[in-house]
Amino acid sequence: MITADLMAILPELFLACAAIALLMLGVFRGNGSTQLVSSLSVMALVVTFALILLPARPESSPFDGLLTIDGFGDFMKLLVMIGTGVSIIISQRFIQREDMARFEFPVLMLFATVGMMAMISANDLIALYMGLELQSLSLYVVAAFRRDNLRSSEAGLKYFVLGALSSGMLLYGSSMIYGFTGTTNFDGIARVFEIDGGVSIGLIVGLVFLCAGLAFKVSAVPFHMWTPDVYEGAPTPVTAFFATAPKIAAMALFIRVLIEPFGGLFDQWQQIVVAVSIGSMVLGAFAAINQTNIKRLMAYSSIGHIGYALIGLASGTEGGISGIAIYLTIYIFMNLGTFACILCMRQKDRMVEGIDDLKGLSKTNPMMALVLAIFMFSMAGIPPLAGFFGKLYIFLAAIDAQLYTLAVIGVLTSVVGAFYYLRIIKLMYFDEPSEAFDTPIGSEMKAVLVITGVFTLLFFVVPGPVVESAAAAAATLFPG
Amino acid sequence: MIVQALAFYMFAAITVAAGVMVVSARNPVHSVLFLILAFFNAAGLFVLMGAEFLAMILVVVYVGAVAVLFLFVVMMLDINYAVMRQGFLQYLPVGLLIGLVLLVELALVGFSWVASTPDLPASLSGVPIPPIDEAHNTEAIGQVIYTKFAYLFQMAGLVLLVAMVGAIVLTLRQRDGVRRQSISAQVSRTREEAVEVKQVPSRSGV
């Protein structure tokens, strides 16, 4: 019995053990081993990736239903692995340069990844909370990792205090749900709705609190306040990490919680998701216009993207969920590429973060300007780039579910949002160059830029693998 | 029965009064002390409900660790609380409004709980709950925590490990020029290298 349970969570188990082993290695070898620990961390992630992808994993609920292993979870876990792995790779040069090369950095990111995997496959409110807390606690520490830098410390503290508040709301909601259903298990909660009189006002209030906690974790309006400050203050590779892996994990958790245990309350939570989605799209489009710091701009951009992804959830259909899976896949590649570009923005050995520093990039560094232009066009949703297809599948799902208002608002805000993405392209191609960025940027950066750029540019040629596996993943959430 | 009711009202009244004092006391040290009083009385309430495990945890964790930590922070940081309270009146209306909304929600929930608790089948919860006269809740938790909830127990361990690593990463500094005791060097000293015998001729000094 226990062997079967352990085999079911083999990838998580392997990653957790690898993280602990690397921690020991770092402790004995000292901070000089950061490079080694980072490389081994990436290898551990690759092995975990293979462990999820290669063996045929039957659907199961190990540990008496505390967890659930299914295709949807596996898909999201693979995305999280990509996000963490690439973030560790692109952080290498940065942490060496900025004097924060300490072996705990990749180890904490691995622990955060274990937490995200636990979140994604949670099938019980307690398991959900354990995963969420493991992930959040690691993220608070990496946000404040540059402890001698005032803004990094501030970002860490702000994230910690607000994160603790949101955890409190989530726990409060969970306790109400437990009180009114008598179980913390998702399958048990789902069965309550089949009973007459199972739906009570207490349960709905609990669900609202749960949604508030989860909306904070995906940084959706009106729980987005922390995002720009934390993204700006945290070290840039950490921001790249924040914008990718934790978002995917939190979004997957949000989807699972609303679709699986609370599927019976669809009419109730649909209103919440619609409101949150509209708020995020509008704020993401308008608040980003005035930004001068590119990391803040990316923060508002990510709020907007989460708003689009939530449209798929609001539709509540299989098509909507597979739309989100496609959207998040494309989002993670675009964001990793863009942050790799931001990490290359260095003048005279100093990081620069102003949007104006990109002026005339096409003349000083044409290749980077081209790649960044691809990402910006894609984020704005201009065909035939990948970002267009992400939005297309989401809007199609919304129209299928007859959420016409939501789809129209989504299209309008993406037109507004296109303004600030195109402004960056205009600065790069039509303004006079200010100062060239430092070269060389390093081979691993070039590799990341090329791979993410090619994925974004050529997604439309072979969309099949991503679209089909996303559809298969979404199908596992809707049995029968 | 009457003793139980009496004890309940005493614990409850002191908890509420101490809670009011926590926010209204001028001296922050007094606030923390009142907080400890509130924790103790809440623990008393848990004992009355037959939840002795929670009561002990409350005392051990909150009084033993959290409140003492607060006390240290309050005493060690020289914070001017008069300045911190300046915005109090400004934020009071918003705070009251949010508090009111929460209160109404809680009242609704409580009312619906009393009015119609759905008769849920016991088979819903995956964990069998032993009747209270068969097993104390400490015993009941002990029966599941290392077996059924082993996964959660291990995850909690990982969370604590991350907390520990995080605290060390953010605060430990290796300074140069600090003279540390080296026990091995001390132990491995021999008489020959530590003591030098000099023949001092008389009347001439060293």
Side-chain angles (χ1 to χ4, degrees), chain A residues 114-333:
Chain A
V114 175
M116 289 174 215
M117 293 168 80
M119 275 160 76
I120 292 173
S121 39
N123 195 37
D124 187 285
L125 290 172
I126 308 176
L128 178 162
Y129 183 67
M130 293 319 293
L132 197 70
E133 234 15 49
L134 180 58
Q135 178 240 25
S136 312
L137 206 56
S138 316
L139 294 188
Y140 304 147
V141 179
V142 288
F145 209 82
R146 247 162 119 184
R147 58 188 186 184
D148 296 321
N149 180 312
L150 193 64
R151 273 164 60 204
S152 174
S153 312
E154 186 199 329
L157 193 64
K158 204 171 245 177
Y159 194 24
F160 173 65
V161 172
L162 292 175
L165 184 75
S166 83
S167 291
M169 286 199 279
L170 194 126
L171 278 182
Y172 188 49
S174 306
S175 73
M176 274 193 189
I177 292 165
Y178 176 56
F180 280 88
T181 58
T183 174
T184 54
N185 191 279
F186 284 179
D187 306 331
I189 295 172
R191 257 178 284 149
V192 168
F193 299 114
E194 296 160 10
I195 302 166
D196 267 352
V199 182
S200 52
I201 191 149
L203 195 52
I204 294 170
V205 172
L207 175 66
V208 171
F209 274 103
L210 197 67
C211 285
L214 290 174
F216 177 92
K217 297 293 176 196
V218 296
S219 74
V221 173
F223 305 98
H224 64 282
M225 308 288 188
W226 58 277
T227 322
D229 293 346
V230 172
Y231 276 35
E232 190 187 353
T236 312
V238 174
T239 312
F241 181 51
F242 279 8
T244 50
K247 288 251 161 136
I248 309 281
M251 199 65 204
L253 182 65
F254 209 171
I255 294 170
R256 190 187 291 284
V257 167
L258 290 187
I259 299 284
E260 281 191 338
F262 289 103
L265 277 182
F266 175 67
D267 297 337
Q268 312 283 346
W269 59 253
Q270 193 189 24
Q271 305 164 16
I272 302 177
V273 175
V274 167
V276 165
S277 165
I278 292 177
S280 307
M281 288 187 296
V282 170
L283 185 108
F286 285 94
I289 290 175
N290 265 333
Q291 301 305 322
T292 52
N293 181 304
I294 192 148
K295 278 158 80 183
R296 274 188 100 80
L297 181 110
M298 290 305 290
Y300 284 109
S301 150
S302 83
I303 293 173
H305 283 298
I306 284 299
Y308 295 116
L310 284 173
I311 295 180
L313 182 56
S315 73
T317 56
E318 202 178 311
I321 304 303
S322 84
I324 298 180
I326 298 167
Y327 195 87
L328 290 180
T329 313
I330 293 167
Y331 168 81
I332 199 171
F333 277 95

Side-chain angles (χ1 to χ4, degrees), chain A residues 23 64 66-67 102 104 111 118 126-127 130 134 137-138 141 144-145 147-148 172 176 179-183 188 191-192 195 197 201 205 209, chain B residues 102 105-106 108-109 112-113 118 120-121 123-126 129 148-149 151-152 155-156 158-159 161-163 165-166 168-173:
Chain A
L23 186 65
D64 288 318
L66 280 177
L67 294 176
R102 305 172 48 175
E104 289 97 340
F111 278 125
I126 308 176
M130 293 319 293
L134 180 58
L137 206 56
S138 316
V141 179
F145 209 82
R147 58 188 186 184
D148 296 321
Y172 188 49
M176 274 193 189
F180 280 88
T181 58
T183 174
R191 257 178 284 149
V192 168
I195 302 166
I201 191 149
V205 172
F209 274 103
Chain B
L102 260 183
E105 274 181 5
L106 277 183
L108 274 176
V109 170
S112 77
W113 175 258
L120 298 173
S123 61
L124 272 182
S125 81
I129 301 165
K148 228 173 154 76
F149 291 159
Y151 164 76
L152 299 174
M155 285 298 283
L158 271 187
V159 173
L161 175 67
V162 167
V165 172
I168 293 171
V169 167
L170 294 182
T171 55
L172 180 71
R173 278 161 207 276

Side-chain angles (χ1 to χ4, degrees), chain A residues 43 53 60 95 100 125 127 148-149 163 173 200 207 215 274-275 282 336 341 434 450 453:
Chain A
M43 277 167 65
L53 192 63
S60 60
I95 61 173
M100 47 181 263
L125 290 172
D148 296 321
N149 180 312
S200 52
L207 175 66
V274 167
V282 170
L336 286 171
C341 287
S434 48
V450 167

Side-chain angles (χ1 to χ4, degrees), chain B residues 134-146:
Chain B
E134 273 176 32
H136 292 297
N137 57 49
T138 315
E139 207 182 327
I141 291 172
Q143 281 170 3
V144 288
I145 194 163
Y146 303 114

